[in-house]
Amino acid sequence: MRATVMYRAGDVRIEHVPDARLIEPTDALVAVSRACICGSDLWPYKLMKPGEPPRRMGHEAIGVVEAVGSGVRTLKVGDVVVMPFAYSDGTCAFCHEGLHTSCVHGGFFGTVELPGAQAEALRIPQADGTLVALPVGADDALMASLLTLSDVMGTGHHAARSAKVGRGKTAAVVGDGAVGLCGVIAARRLGAERTIILGSHPDRIALAKAFGATDVVSERGEEAVARVRELTGGFGVHSVLECVGTDQAMLAAIGIARPGGAVGRVGVPHYETIPASQPAFYNNLTISGGPAPVRAYIAELLPDVLEGRIQPGRVFDRVISLDEVPDGYRAMNDRQAIKVMVKP
């Protein structure tokens, strides 16, 4: 079968690899019908050093179950399923607490240890606890929005939850990528009275407004902080969704949070320590977040997708074949695409 393999920064190839197959009784084999390129995939695309082990990329997918192991109880051949970016058994203490990304028998797709979903097929460990069967056909019109439940919509929702978004509050979203845009959806869905998007790309800003952003701040750094404070009467916002992962983004997030506010960070951090710890301390800020346990959120978000109340699939602005994946990486890296869908 064919799959995406990254060898070093900028070096992404489509190669023939051994066919995916069942290994453990709890496995399922899924033929991938939709995958995508994630903003977090761009970090190794920029930074992976020569000599690091090659990685089979991709951690978001929808597909059709082709086979199940003898220990799988909740899935059958032919099911259309969504695959969260982390696998989990669904039964451990952390899964019961809704923290599937800390499952004691879990892990992440698209790593050196486990092949990724930018491929024709994929082995799913802990299939019962990981996959969610969808009540749709394989080519349903909602497929794009359903695919976001594997990561970006659930991650935007996690940012909003971690930032304590609620009715009557003002929220700000740092970052206008797919996760940030889904964060705008999440903030509105959770009742934010006002949502400020920090971003500067016209196509993304237009989509943020369509998703419910009420204000746009295109400045950067200290100027962005000053502008948000100006918009909020000098106080700052109750809830900040940090959807980038750089120290500059976290500095901005802490700078625009009002005393007693909360920052939900879901951008994979590319810094060793959280900056501005003293302002965060003296302003009694809550800083939380991490890898989104999207498996825990699918049941909550799925009805809104199926009934058309939210349309996160609009973040996909390019659809490509598996052979075109290297071009898809370049397009996202060069900000020529918000998020790329892959149809193997």
Side-chain angles (χ1 to χ4, degrees):
M1 70 176 200
R2 294 177 304 145
T4 302
V5 185
M6 185 176 294
Y7 284 89
R8 60 183 180 274
D11 186 0
V12 179
R13 311 176 196 176
I14 306 303
E15 296 188 340
H16 287 275
V17 300
D19 288 343
R21 60 184 180 86
L22 301 177
I23 297 175
E24 302 292 338
T26 51
D27 290 347
L29 180 63
V30 171
V32 177
S33 58
R34 304 287 193 286
C36 44
I37 301 171
C38 184
S40 62
D41 293 333
L42 298 182
W43 288 110
Y45 185 74
K46 296 174 182 177
L47 301 173
M48 187 175 177
K49 297 177 181 178
E52 291 186 36
R55 290 171 54 178
R56 298 253 295 271
M57 299 298 294
H59 52 258
E60 307 153 279
I62 281 179
V64 178
V65 176
E66 287 198 332
V68 295
S70 60
V72 175
R73 299 286 178 262
T74 64
L75 301 162
K76 63 183 185 302
V77 173
D79 281 347
V80 178
V81 292
V82 59
M83 180 202 88
F85 66 83
Y87 66 91
S88 53
D89 62 19
T91 61
C92 79
F94 297 110
C95 288
H96 281 301
E97 293 172 7
L99 198 60
H100 294 70
T101 47
S102 294
C103 176
V104 297
H105 298 118
F108 297 90
F109 293 100
T111 62
V112 173
E113 293 77 21
L114 188 68
Q118 293 165 14
E120 293 179 318
L122 192 64
R123 178 180 76 91
I124 311 294
Q126 306 292 344
D128 281 329
T130 301
L131 298 174
V132 177
L134 299 171
V136 298
D139 291 309
D140 193 273
L142 294 173
M143 200 56 67
S145 287
L146 293 167
L147 179 56
T148 68
L149 299 180
S150 66
D151 187 348
V152 290
M153 185 61 230
T155 297
H157 179 70
H158 188 55
R161 287 283 192 198
S162 299
K164 302 181 181 179
V165 175
R167 297 198 176 280
K169 291 186 176 182
T170 298
V173 179
V174 180
D176 58 6
V179 170
L181 293 169
C182 288
V184 172
I185 295 175
R188 182 179 184 181
R189 182 178 174 276
L190 292 175
E193 184 176 282
R194 189 178 187 186
T195 301
I196 303 167
I197 179 78
L198 279 69
S200 58
H201 299 86
D203 55 339
R204 299 170 187 228
I205 295 306
L207 193 52
K209 290 180 177 178
F211 284 162
T214 56
D215 301 89
V216 177
V217 170
S218 57
E219 292 88 349
R220 292 177 175 270
E222 293 181 2
E223 292 182 355
V225 172
R227 178 60 179 149
V228 172
R229 291 199 166 272
E230 179 185 350
L231 290 170
T232 55
F235 290 147
V237 302
H238 301 91
S239 304
V240 186
L241 289 65
E242 196 283 282
C243 303
V244 180
T246 63
D247 52 357
Q248 294 93 341
M250 181 54 77
L251 275 171
I254 292 172
I256 64 179
R258 65 186 280 154
V263 176
R265 59 180 189 143
V266 294
V268 178
H270 283 73
Y271 47 86
E272 291 298 321
T273 58
I274 295 176
S277 61
Q278 286 204 0
F281 176 81
Y282 284 108
N283 283 327
N284 280 282
L285 299 185
T286 298
I287 299 176
S288 61
V294 298
R295 180 63 175 80
Y297 296 139
I298 291 175
E300 177 182 350
L301 298 171
L302 180 58
D304 281 3
V305 170
L306 293 175
E307 295 170 23
R309 288 190 290 269
I310 60 174
Q311 297 178 308
R314 294 175 67 184
V315 299
F316 292 106
D317 56 350
R318 186 172 299 197
V319 180
I320 62 174
S321 68
L322 190 58
D323 289 331
E324 296 171 306
V325 163
D327 291 332
Y329 272 84
R330 283 190 286 272
M332 285 187 59
N333 189 60
D334 295 341
R335 298 296 182 96
Q336 296 173 356
I338 300 172
K339 190 166 180 66
V340 174
M341 180 189 293
V342 181
K343 295 178 70 174

